[in-house]
Amino acid sequence: MATLNTLIDSLNAVFGDKLQSLKTDLNEVTVEIRAADWLDAALTLRDHAEFRFEACLDVAGVDYSAYKDGIWEGQRFAAVYHLLSYANNFRLRVRVYAPDDDFPIVPSVVDVWSGVNWFEREAFDLYGLVFEGHPDLRRILTDYGFVGHPFRKDFPLSGYVEMRYDPEQARVIYQPVTIEPREITPRIIREENYGGV
């Protein structure tokens, strides 16, 4: 616990009011940093002797539009970074909210931690988060012709377009989804002693 308190004290001392929030839960520290401050903060977290977060283990996109049963008051999209300091044995979660819900942009930190390249591409592909300054921001998991971002809460389960092979054209084509939505009601068995001896 001493190392956790050391990390918290160092974060407060170095960043001060640049931290929008600092929370501790399950022995893990989570900080929120404004998108405008994120690039400078990332460099500080990597290079400052009290932190030395050499590795970014993951970047996750998050859509908060239905969070807390839709009562969420904050920004809709965030990028969450999971950092690790080998030298100091610290872990840190950094949440950076995109300031614009209609066109979510967060600065890329691929020049700070080169390993985030594919993580940022994945968050772009699945959530539509644009990482400003990323050298090769393009889809990584979905097809290049894919419409929309499938992990957004408002993305329809059946999607917008479907892909199929057309034998007349001898190629794969895209067309609007032809799946009829239907509701499946499970059969309920109401027998006494069902499955019993």
Side-chain angles (χ1 to χ4, degrees), residues 141-180:
L141 295 173
T142 60
D143 186 60
Y144 295 122
F146 192 87
V147 176
H149 303 282
F151 279 16
R152 286 188 174 191
K153 300 286 175 81
D154 56 1
F155 189 82
L157 290 177
S158 59
Y160 296 110
V161 296
E162 65 186 6
M163 181 177 70
R164 71 173 179 83
Y165 179 77
D166 186 349
E168 292 176 9
Q169 297 180 36
R171 66 180 184 90
V172 173
I173 63 167
Y174 294 92
Q175 65 187 35
V177 174
T178 57
I179 299 171
E180 295 285 329

Side-chain angles (χ1 to χ4, degrees), residues 67-141:
Y67 186 65
K68 293 190 175 182
D69 295 326
I71 304 172
W72 178 249
E73 297 286 330
Q75 299 303 122
R76 178 176 176 184
F77 296 103
V80 180
Y81 297 80
H82 299 268
L83 307 180
L84 176 64
S85 170
Y86 301 114
N88 296 319
N89 194 26
F90 291 149
R91 288 182 180 270
L92 179 67
R93 181 181 304 115
V94 181
R95 184 177 297 118
V96 181
Y97 287 98
D100 184 3
D101 290 345
D102 295 326
F103 190 65
I105 299 176
V106 173
S108 173
V109 289
V110 74
D111 291 333
V112 180
W113 297 286
S114 59
V116 304
N117 187 332
W118 283 28
F119 298 144
E120 289 183 349
R121 283 181 61 190
E122 179 183 43
F124 163 71
D125 189 6
L126 301 178
Y127 289 94
L129 284 167
V130 175
F131 291 90
E132 190 172 38
H134 192 284
D136 186 21
L137 195 60
R138 59 191 163 104
R139 294 192 180 270
I140 192 169
L141 295 173

